[in-house]
Amino acid sequence: MATNTTSATTPATDAPKFPEQVTGMYILAESLHRLGLDTVYGLVGIPVTEAAYAMQKIGMKFVGFRHEQQAGMAAATHGFLTKKPGVLLTVSSLGMMNGLTATANATVNCYPMIQISGASDPTMVDMNVGTYEQLDQFNTAKPFVKAAFRCSHAKDIPSAVARAYRAAISGRPGGVYIDMTTPALGEVMNAADAEALFYSPVDLYSETAPNQASVDRAVELLSNAKRPAILLGKGASYAQVDDKIKTLVEAYNIPYLPMSMAKGLMPDAGPLSALSCRSMIMEQADVVMVIGARINWMLSFGRGKWNKDVKFIQLDVEPQEIDRNVPVAAPVVGDMGLSLDAILAGMKGKTMQTDPTWIPALQAHTKEENTKFAARLSTAATATPMNHWSALSAIKPILESNPDVILVNEGANTLDDTRDAVDMALPRHRVDCASWSIMGMGMGSTVGAAVSTGKSVVAIEGDSAFGFSGMDFSTICRYNLPCTVVIFNNGGIYNGIGVNPGGGDDPAPTTLDIHARYDKLGDAFGATTYYVTTPAELTSALTEAIASKKPCLIDVQLADDAGKESGHIGYLNPTPLIDYTV
């Protein structure tokens, strides 16, 4: 590449002389590209628009959104499904904060992600001069991410990107923030000097092995269990150690219970699946191996319904996760793959002491529950108008016969009921609102799943949940992604029959619009759309939509009284002093 006789850097006001000179925006694009981060999700504007063009110029994929939060959800989902950081690019100030919502969620849920936001000159921010979109973004982001970096000079960009990559995937993965200041983006450098800045980092992810004493303790406890169980979390799914988990389950005949985003890591309908036996596992298991899951609110904090004598084995990469809510008898701290390798090595030659009645009892309970569930779906299939179970009676067989379709799912009843109804057969084929149980990840995660894997995606959304991200259905259409969005419209948050306790014309806080025609939104962006009122119509529409591998939207009309206040988290819903429903 040619060089010139000017200084290594020149003021941003001087136009670069291409190809002899380059800007910080080019350096940012190359820094990402050379690390194999070839997809960026974002929303452009001052001061990052030209950075997005620079990314496209060198062959990267830039996926432009209508809202930064959804771009961030796409980046987070990309990270979860690929184990490589998803990248989010945003503008400054409130654009950065919109994206930070998703980055914080990625940190909590352990998805590797890098948020890069344009930022004002920090010297002007520090002096509070009132510059354009002035916000101390660097310090705003710090409490919500694993690591944060501020680039005030173009020369800092390659190092910041490489260090962000390392931080995002190391240990327990999470979100990382890079404050990409206007001076750094606009700075002009000699191309040769910029080229000297790029490097290939070594061992971006360094596996940490557990200590042998912890492995021996876990093996001893597991092999002597009378009523053992394995509990699988999304950390186990993220780790992509499917074969090791399969070996442990099948070689030692241990029943397993998957958390929501671990469904399919082992087949939900497998002979050792305890998916229908959650309460039975909690009440009767004497040893539970927790692999990549938190013993948090979703597991009753390890107390309450749990057998008071249960002993936990916990595999996690983060030592601070151990003993969070309940004493862990056998913590195994280290890389998931190395931990499972060590446990499998220790189990060789061991004979399980499992009570011979344990697995048959679980299988009998599963058969009983599945029979009840099938009857429920069958009865619901004739309900007029439809309820959630009516719709799911049509959806369940279609998705189960298309196991390679990725399912994205959010809502209240829509989330709970779909999770219970649809069996997954493959790992990392279910994405939902995860640990924080937040709404508003739907369209972003749908785009991220489709772009990062190339697979078809079906998103099943409650009407309230869809409202958070619905405008980014247009992103699905612009990029012609093989995605079908199914909206369950019952006219409200939980349902559409809320009553304003004060009278008057204003709707109740939980009421939306039972007559909304969401299919018209799909029409606006050129998607194939369907409006369905019966299970038979839904069966036809979903079958056709998946086969088309095109953007499709299915508006499913439910009854306004379908659904109830949702979630198995009653302790968070205090009993009101007034009955507001009458």
Side-chain angles (χ1 to χ4, degrees):
M1 188 173 286
T3 60
N4 62 30
T5 57
T6 60
S7 61
T9 62
T10 58
T13 53
D14 292 351
K17 299 177 180 63
F18 295 109
E20 294 87 356
Q21 293 179 317
V22 296
T23 64
M25 290 174 278
Y26 164 84
I27 295 172
L28 172 60
E30 279 290 341
S31 296
L32 294 166
H33 185 57
R34 296 186 189 207
L35 287 173
L37 300 175
D38 288 331
T39 301
V40 174
Y41 305 89
L43 197 161
V44 299
I46 296 172
V48 299
T49 303
E50 295 303 321
Y53 277 115
M55 292 168 187
Q56 286 189 327
K57 176 72 173 176
I58 64 171
M60 298 177 68
K61 186 176 185 67
F62 182 84
V63 184
F65 278 74
R66 305 298 288 269
H67 196 281
E68 294 92 349
Q69 184 187 89
Q70 293 310 304
M73 295 298 181
T77 299
H78 184 118
F80 171 71
L81 294 175
T82 68
K83 295 186 73 176
K84 294 174 66 173
V87 181
L88 166 66
L89 180 69
T90 82
V91 298
S92 50
S93 187
L94 294 184
M96 170 267 181
M97 293 185 72
N98 286 341
L100 188 60
T101 303
T103 309
N105 189 58
T107 302
V108 166
N109 282 291
C110 313
Y111 308 148
M113 174 182 167
I114 300 171
Q115 177 177 345
I116 301 170
S117 295
S120 300
D121 184 336
T123 60
M124 301 177 79
V125 174
D126 291 345
M127 286 303 295
N128 193 23
V129 301
T131 188
Y132 175 72
E133 294 191 345
Q134 177 179 306
L135 175 68
D136 187 353
Q137 298 173 194
F138 179 66
N139 286 305
T140 298
K142 271 187 172 181
F144 301 102
V145 295
K146 284 189 68 181
F149 305 92
R150 174 183 282 159
C151 292
S152 295
H153 305 282
K155 66 180 177 62
D156 298 327
I157 295 173
S159 175
V161 171
R163 293 172 68 191
Y165 191 126
R166 188 184 299 277
I169 65 172
S170 64
R172 171 173 280 180
V176 178
Y177 176 70
I178 303 178
D179 210 44
M180 197 62 60
T181 66
T182 300
L185 287 168
E187 186 176 343
V188 177
M189 293 189 70
N190 287 338
D193 295 316
E195 186 64 30
L197 299 171
F198 300 117
Y199 68 99
S200 299
V202 177
D203 288 342
L204 279 166
Y205 177 77
S206 297
E207 299 173 333
T208 302
N211 71 72
Q212 190 59 46
S214 71
V215 172
D216 293 343
R217 188 182 304 113
V219 166
E220 185 69 16
L221 192 56
L222 181 63
S223 61
N224 285 291
K226 301 298 182 186
R227 297 180 301 282
I230 291 175
L231 196 149
L232 300 168
K234 67 178 178 296
S237 189
Y238 168 82
Q240 298 188 17
V241 289
D242 317 341
D243 56 336
K244 303 177 196 297
I245 290 172
K246 184 175 188 290
T247 298
L248 183 62
V249 166
E250 294 182 350
Y252 300 98
N253 218 33
I254 306 172
Y256 55 87
L257 174 65
M259 301 297 287
S260 184
M261 282 178 60
K263 282 168 62 70
L265 182 52
M266 291 291 294
D268 287 353
L272 290 169
S273 173
L275 189 61
S276 300
C277 305
R278 180 185 174 94
S279 294
M280 192 171 173
I281 292 290
M282 293 173 73
E283 293 166 1
Q284 298 184 32
D286 63 343
V287 174
V288 175
M289 175 179 279
V290 181
I291 304 179
R294 294 182 172 106
I295 307 176
N296 60 9
W297 68 273
M298 289 187 283
L299 290 172
S300 302
F301 308 103
R303 304 188 295 268
K305 290 183 178 180
W306 285 93
N307 174 2
K308 65 182 179 60
D309 296 320
V310 67
K311 290 182 171 58
F312 289 105
I313 302 166
Q314 187 171 7
L315 277 62
D316 205 289
V317 73
E318 173 52 62
Q320 293 186 74
E321 192 59 44
I322 307 303
D323 296 341
R324 177 190 273 199
N325 288 307
V326 64
V328 172
V332 181
V333 177
D335 171 79
M336 193 69 69
L338 293 181
S339 295
L340 286 167
D341 283 341
I343 286 171
L344 286 169
M347 289 292 291
K348 282 185 178 179
K350 298 279 187 181
T351 301
M352 294 290 291
Q353 302 300 309
T354 305
D355 181 335
T357 67
W358 175 232
I359 292 174
L362 291 171
Q363 291 172 334
H365 186 73
T366 294
K367 184 177 181 180
E368 179 183 347
E369 291 300 308
N370 288 351
T371 299
K372 292 178 183 176
F373 197 79
R376 182 178 194 177
L377 288 175
S378 178
T379 300
T382 61
T384 305
M386 286 196 292
N387 57 38
H388 293 80
W389 297 109
S390 307
L392 288 166
S393 71
I395 289 172
K396 176 180 170 68
I398 296 172
L399 290 185
E400 291 178 1
S401 64
N402 290 275
D404 203 35
V405 170
I406 294 175
L407 171 61
V408 172
N409 186 206
E410 65 171 336
N413 295 271
T414 303
L415 171 72
D416 294 339
D417 297 345
T418 303
R419 180 186 59 224
D420 291 344
V422 179
D423 286 339
M424 307 302 294
L426 297 174
R428 294 169 295 282
H429 277 65
R430 179 182 168 83
V431 179
D432 61 33
C433 46
S435 295
W436 267 354
S437 199
I438 50 91
M439 297 297 106
M441 44 67 71
M443 296 304 95
S445 289
T446 299
V447 172
V451 170
S452 65
T453 68
K455 295 177 183 288
S456 295
V457 181
V458 170
I460 301 180
E461 302 271 309
D463 54 331
S464 172
F466 180 72
F468 286 87
S469 66
M471 197 63 184
D472 267 305
F473 180 73
S474 66
T475 303
I476 293 171
C477 296
R478 253 181 306 129
Y479 290 88
N480 196 32
L481 299 174
C483 300
T484 297
V485 176
V486 181
I487 303 165
F488 286 5
N489 182 17
N490 65 351
I493 303 170
Y494 308 125
N495 57 49
I497 58 172
V499 176
N500 180 339
D505 296 330
D506 287 347
T510 54
T511 299
L512 297 173
D513 187 356
I514 192 64
H515 301 296
R517 287 293 299 269
Y518 293 102
D519 55 311
K520 302 300 183 183
L521 178 65
D523 290 339
F525 299 116
T528 301
T529 61
Y530 307 84
Y531 175 75
V532 303
T533 61
T534 68
E537 292 174 349
L538 179 52
T539 295
S540 176
L542 184 57
T543 301
E544 184 178 296
I546 291 173
S548 76
K549 295 187 180 295
K550 297 288 186 182
C552 298
L553 190 150
I554 304 175
D555 185 349
V556 182
Q557 186 64 64
L558 304 185
D560 60 357
D561 63 351
K564 59 184 179 180
E565 188 163 0
S566 180
H568 309 290
I569 47 175
Y571 75 97
L572 293 178
N573 296 315
T575 303
L577 297 176
I578 301 171
D579 185 355
Y580 292 110
T581 63
V582 296

